[in-house]
Amino acid sequence: MFRRIGSAVVRHPVWTIVAWLIAAVAIVATAPSLPSNSDESSFLPKSYESIKAADLQEKAFPSAFTPSAIALYQRADGGRLTAADLKDVSRITTELGGKHIDQVQKVVPGQPSKDGRYTMTLVQMDSKNAGQPVQADAAKVLRDDVKQLTKGTDLEARLGGSAAQALDQQDSSKRGEALIGIGTFLIILVTLLIIFRAPILAVLPLITIGLVSAIANGLIAYATKLFGLQANSSVSSILIVVLFGVGTDYFLFLMFRYRERLRAGDEPKEAMVNAVARVGEAIASAAGAVIIAFLALVLSTLGFLKQMGPALAIAVSVTLVAGLTLIPAVVSLIGPKVFWPSKSWQREPENARFAALGRGVQRRPALTAAVSGLVLVVLSLGTLGYHATFDLASGSMPKTKESMVVQDEMQKAYSAGAAAPTDVYLSSTAGKPLDRSAFDAYARRLGAVDGVASARLNQLNKPGTTADFTVTLKYEASTDKAIDTVGRVRNVAHASAPQGTEAVVGGMSSIYKDIDSAVNHDYRTVFPVAALLIMLILGLLLRSVVAPWYLIASVGLGFGATLGATVWIFQDAQNKPGLMFMLPVIMYLFVVAIGTDYNILMIARLREEAREGREPREAAGMALRHAGPTVAAAGFILAATFATMMLAGNSLLTEMGFAVSFGIAVAAFVMAMFFTPSLTALIGHAAWWPGHADRARPGADGGSSPAADEYQTAGRRG
C-alpha cells in the first residue's frame, strides 16, 4: 500500500502540492472561529453535584448576585482607609454602574476588610456568558474605567474575579503562544541545519508544517462547532508544539530513509518511492498510536480534555497524510539538491558512536536492560508523593498578573474562602414551602463542620421552596484543605437535611471536588483504553502477541519515571502544594503515544535486520546503529520543542513542557535505544510469537527482503 502511495505522489508531485494548497485556502477561508471558555464548571457533565447546584441557583435565584469581577481598593501609602477614601469608593462604584458596560448587570459596594485597609466594588455579569471572551472584553473596559476613576484620589485599584482572570489568561496565552512559536521555529531550524547542513532541508518542514497547521486548525474549528465541544486557550499552545514537533519527527523518519536509499544507489525518484514504502508503515503505525491515544480522551468526563483529544487527533492525522504525500511530493520535485550544499549524503557514515552503542547492546543485553530499567524504576518512585492542585486560573498565568495579585491580597485581607464561598441549596422535594424553623439548626450544623469559618442563611426564593445557605470556608477554594472541607460539608448537608428536603452543594470548591472525582474516573478509563488500543496497533504492525506487552510496559515505566521526576522537581524541590490536576492524563497520552513512535521505529528496524538473516542480538545491535541517529535527532527536536512551553510563563505550561519533553527524552534515549532493543535481544525469536515477522521473507516490496538491498553498498560493518 505504501509503495503505491509513494509511486502516485512521485508521479504527480505538482498535482499533489496543488491539491494541498487548494484544500488549505478552502478550509481556512470557510472555517468558523475557534471559541474559548475559561469557566471550570463548563468542563463538567451535568450529573455532578456542583453543576446541579449551579442549575438550581439559576432556577431558584435568577437574580442572585454572584460577582464576576471585583475591584479591590487600598490606599497608595498602604494605610487604613479614611472616611474620604470610602466616599471616593462609593462614588466610583456609582459611576461604574452608570456606564452601562456590556455584560455588566449590577455594580454594588463590597464589605471593607477587618483591618480597614481594603474595600471592594462587586460587579455582576450575565451568567449565560460566564467564561466567554465577551466577559474578558468587559473586564478590560472595567479595569480601564476603574483606574481612570481613581485618578486624583489617594486610592489604588486592581480588578480581579473570574472575568478579569479570563482577560489575563487570554493575554498570557497570546504571549505564551508567540514565545512557543518562535522557540519551536528556531529549535527545528537550527537542529536540522546541524544534522543535514542543508538550508533547504532545514526550512522545508517549517513551510510544509505551517501549511498543515492552517488546515488542521480549520478542521479543528469545524469539529468543535459541529460537536459542540469546549475550547480552552491552552489547546492552541499545545497544538503548535504537536504539529511542529510530530511533523518534524515524520519528516526526519522519511528523510533519513530517503538519504539511505540514495546511498544504496537508487535513482532519486525511485529512492523516494522506496523510502515511503519502507518507512511508511512505521510512520502510519506511530501516528495511529498517537491518534488513538488522543481519541481516548473522548472518554474523559472533563470537557477540556474531551475537546483536546479530537483536536490533537485531527492535527496528527493531517500531519500523517502530509508526511506520506506532501513532503514526498515536494522533495521528489527538488531531488538530491534538497541536501545542497552538503555532500555528506553521498557517502555512508560510519555512525561510530551508534555502532559502539549497538555492539554494547549486542554483547550485554541483560546488563543494558537491567541498568536502563533500574533508572526508570528509581525515577518512578517520585510518583508516590504526587498531589494535585485544581486552580486552573492561577496555573495558566503568572502570579504577577493583576487578577492573581487581587486573589492573593483578598486571601490575606479577608477570610481565605470569602472570595469564593460555598453555597448549600436546601429544596423541598414535594414543592411545598420549607419549614423556616429548622433553618437556624441546619446553619449551625453546617457551621460546625471542621474547616468552616461561618454558615448563615443567605436568601429564600419567592415560593419558599429553596433556601440558600452561604458557607464560608477557612481555606482558599482550590486548596486540598478546602476540597476536603467541602466533602465534609456535603456529608453534613445531605445527612442533616430535614425530612422532605434535599440538599446540593455548589461553589468553586465543590466544582474542584467534582473535577477531582472526574480525573480519578479518567485514570481508570482513559489510561487502560489508550494502552490496549496502542497494544493492538503494535500487535498488527509486528504480527506478534508477545512484543506489544513488553513494549507498552516499557512505555508505562517511562511514564512513571517522567511523573516521578516532575514531582521531585516542581512539587518537592520548589515546595509547591502539588501539580496541575490534568498533568498526569496529558503526560500519559503524550509520553505513551508519542514515546511509542520511537519504540515502533526501532523495533521495525530491528525486524528488518532480523529478516536479513541476523540473529536477535546482532539484529538489535545493527538496528541501534542504523536507526539510532534518526531516533536521537527526532527525540531531541521533539523534546526541545515541547520544552519551549516552559517559556509561556505559567505553571500549567511550564510543568507540562518539562514533563512531556523529559518523557520524550526518556522514550528516545533510554527506552528506544537501550531498554527495548536489549529486551528484544534477550527474548529472541519468541518476541515475535506466534508469527515469524523476524524471519527472512524474500520478495517483499517486489524485490528482495526489505532490508537486504539497503545494505548491499553499506555492507555489514559494525
Side-chain angles (χ1 to χ4, degrees):
M1 181 180 77
F2 295 102
R3 175 171 289 279
R4 287 196 296 271
I5 292 172
S7 297
V9 168
V10 170
R11 279 200 308 270
H12 308 289
V14 175
W15 285 113
T16 302
I17 296 168
V18 168
W20 271 93
L21 291 173
I22 291 173
V25 171
I27 291 171
V28 171
T30 60
S33 59
L34 187 65
S36 180
N37 197 329
S38 59
D39 180 17
E40 286 95 334
S41 65
S42 66
F43 298 146
L44 285 167
K46 293 188 178 298
S47 58
Y48 281 87
E49 182 169 347
S50 59
I51 307 305
K52 289 179 180 178
D55 291 341
L56 178 59
Q57 178 193 343
E58 284 191 17
K59 293 175 184 175
F61 307 102
S63 59
F65 188 88
T66 305
S68 299
I70 300 170
L72 185 67
Y73 307 92
Q74 67 178 128
R75 284 185 60 85
D77 60 12
R80 291 174 62 89
L81 296 170
T82 65
D85 295 330
L86 294 174
K87 188 176 180 181
D88 284 332
V89 171
S90 178
R91 172 186 58 81
I92 293 169
T93 301
T94 302
E95 290 188 27
L96 278 177
K99 286 181 176 290
H100 304 294
I101 299 167
D102 181 44
Q103 296 295 309
V104 173
Q105 295 179 330
K106 194 181 293 183
V107 182
V108 300
Q111 292 294 321
S113 62
K114 289 181 180 179
D115 61 8
R117 293 174 58 231
Y118 295 89
T119 192
M120 301 180 289
T121 292
L122 307 177
V123 181
Q124 183 181 27
M125 296 188 188
D126 187 351
S127 61
K128 294 178 182 177
N129 293 322
Q132 299 296 330
V134 288
Q135 295 206 348
D137 295 340
K140 188 176 190 309
V141 176
L142 276 169
R143 183 171 283 171
D144 292 341
D145 286 350
V146 166
K147 288 184 178 3
Q148 186 65 37
L149 291 170
T150 53
K151 284 184 178 179
T153 71
D154 294 324
L155 297 170
E156 285 183 350
R158 296 185 179 90
L159 193 75
S162 59
Q165 288 176 355
L167 173 64
D168 290 341
Q169 191 174 348
Q170 194 178 84
D171 293 341
S172 180
S173 177
K174 288 177 181 176
R175 175 181 174 274
E177 281 181 38
L179 289 171
I180 289 169
I182 293 168
T184 299
F185 184 92
L186 290 175
I187 285 168
I188 293 174
L189 183 67
V190 171
T191 307
L192 290 180
L193 276 172
I194 293 171
I195 292 171
F196 293 106
R197 299 179 180 84
I200 297 175
L201 261 183
V203 173
L204 186 58
L206 296 170
I207 296 173
T208 54
I209 297 168
L211 180 65
V212 169
S213 175
I215 294 174
N217 276 295
L219 292 175
I220 289 165
Y222 273 122
T224 300
K225 184 176 182 180
L226 181 63
F227 297 106
L229 301 170
Q230 298 292 343
N232 186 276
S233 54
S234 297
V235 174
S236 299
S237 301
I238 298 169
L239 270 176
I240 294 171
V241 179
V242 168
L243 284 164
F244 281 89
V246 173
T248 304
D249 259 15
Y250 300 159
F251 176 82
L252 284 171
F253 290 179
L254 186 67
M255 292 312 301
F256 270 95
R257 190 55 70 100
Y258 175 60
R259 185 175 67 178
E260 204 170 304
R261 297 306 308 158
L262 289 174
R263 287 169 178 164
D266 285 2
E267 181 270 330
K269 288 189 179 296
E270 186 62 23
M272 180 54 71
V273 174
N274 283 333
V276 175
R278 304 307 174 97
V279 84
E281 186 180 25
I283 291 177
S285 299
V290 178
I291 291 166
I292 281 179
F294 287 156
L295 285 178
L297 283 175
V298 172
L299 300 174
S300 171
T301 48
L302 292 174
F304 168 70
L305 294 177
K306 273 181 179 290
Q307 192 271 344
M308 178 186 285
L312 296 179
I314 289 170
V316 175
S317 299
V318 178
T319 305
L320 167 63
V321 177
L324 296 177
T325 58
L326 179 60
I327 292 173
V330 174
V331 174
S332 66
L333 271 182
I334 302 171
K337 290 181 181 177
V338 76
F339 296 104
W340 179 87
S342 173
K343 298 189 183 299
S344 62
W345 65 272
Q346 297 173 348
R347 59 185 181 274
E348 176 74 14
E350 291 296 327
N351 282 347
R353 292 179 183 175
F354 290 97
L357 292 174
R359 286 193 296 270
V361 170
Q362 181 178 336
R363 291 169 184 165
R364 299 181 181 86
L367 179 63
T368 304
V371 171
S372 54
L374 183 62
V375 169
L376 297 176
V377 170
V378 169
L379 288 173
S380 297
L381 295 176
T383 60
L384 300 175
Y386 168 74
H387 291 288
T389 57
F390 297 89
D391 189 356
L392 190 58
S394 63
S396 57
M397 70 184 99
K399 286 287 188 183
T400 53
K401 285 290 186 180
E402 186 170 326
S403 59
M404 292 294 97
V405 173
V406 170
Q407 180 174 289
D408 290 342
E409 289 186 348
M410 284 190 65
Q411 287 177 31
K412 297 172 186 174
Y414 297 84
S415 170
T422 294
D423 288 287
V424 177
Y425 298 100
L426 187 68
S427 300
S428 169
T429 55
K432 298 178 181 178
L434 295 168
D435 179 9
R436 301 190 182 195
S437 64
F439 288 170
D440 287 343
Y442 190 67
R444 282 197 299 273
R445 290 192 187 97
L446 294 174
V449 174
D450 183 30
V452 170
S454 65
R456 60 181 176 83
L457 174 66
N458 183 25
Q459 57 187 326
L460 192 67
N461 69 342
K462 288 182 179 179
T465 54
T466 301
D468 171 16
F469 293 84
T470 297
V471 178
T472 303
L473 308 184
K474 295 179 181 178
Y475 316 107
E476 194 274 320
S478 65
T479 61
D480 286 346
K481 289 182 177 180
I483 293 168
D484 291 341
T485 299
V486 89
R488 292 191 290 271
V489 169
R490 282 183 177 181
N491 293 336
V492 171
H494 298 159
S496 301
Q499 189 174 2
T501 68
E502 64 177 3
V504 290
V505 180
M508 287 310 303
S509 293
S510 185
I511 289 171
Y512 292 137
K513 176 74 174 175
D514 287 340
I515 288 177
D516 188 25
S517 300
V519 170
N520 289 331
H521 167 270
D522 291 350
Y523 290 159
R524 297 190 298 270
T525 54
V526 176
F527 280 23
V529 168
L532 286 172
L533 292 174
I534 291 172
M535 284 180 65
L536 180 62
I537 285 184
L538 290 171
L540 292 172
L541 169 68
L542 304 174
R543 283 78 169 173
S544 166
V545 172
V546 177
W549 284 98
Y550 68 82
L551 289 176
I552 203 70
S554 71
V555 176
L557 265 180
F559 164 76
T562 303
L563 180 57
T566 308
V567 167
W568 279 336
I569 290 173
F570 287 93
Q571 186 177 297
D572 297 341
Q574 297 184 22
N575 199 29
K576 288 186 175 181
L579 304 176
M580 196 55 59
F581 68 91
M582 66 182 71
L583 187 64
V585 176
I586 294 172
M587 186 193 308
Y588 174 84
L589 293 166
F590 278 102
V591 173
V592 170
I594 298 179
T596 303
D597 283 9
Y598 305 123
N599 266 346
I600 287 175
L601 187 68
M602 184 62 73
I603 205 77
R605 189 55 179 256
L606 194 152
R607 180 181 61 181
E608 287 189 21
E609 298 292 344
R611 282 179 176 174
E612 196 169 335
R614 293 182 170 91
E615 286 302 308
R617 293 192 179 199
E618 185 186 3
M622 291 299 290
L624 181 51
R625 177 188 173 181
H626 291 288
T630 310
V631 170
F636 173 79
I637 289 178
L638 191 59
T641 52
F642 270 104
T644 61
M645 293 170 70
M646 298 174 70
L647 300 173
N650 67 67
S651 59
L652 172 61
L653 291 180
T654 299
E655 291 172 7
M656 195 185 299
F658 169 82
V660 177
S661 61
F662 184 86
I664 287 168
V666 167
F669 296 101
V670 179
M671 289 189 299
M673 284 199 190
F674 298 106
F675 198 60
T676 297
S678 60
L679 275 180
T680 307
L682 281 173
I683 297 171
H685 294 296
W688 309 97
W689 185 87
H692 301 286
D694 62 329
R695 304 303 170 95
R697 190 159 56 96
D701 286 328
S704 59
S705 68
D709 54 349
E710 293 188 23
Y711 300 109
Q712 286 175 354
T713 58
R716 296 190 181 184
R717 292 169 297 172

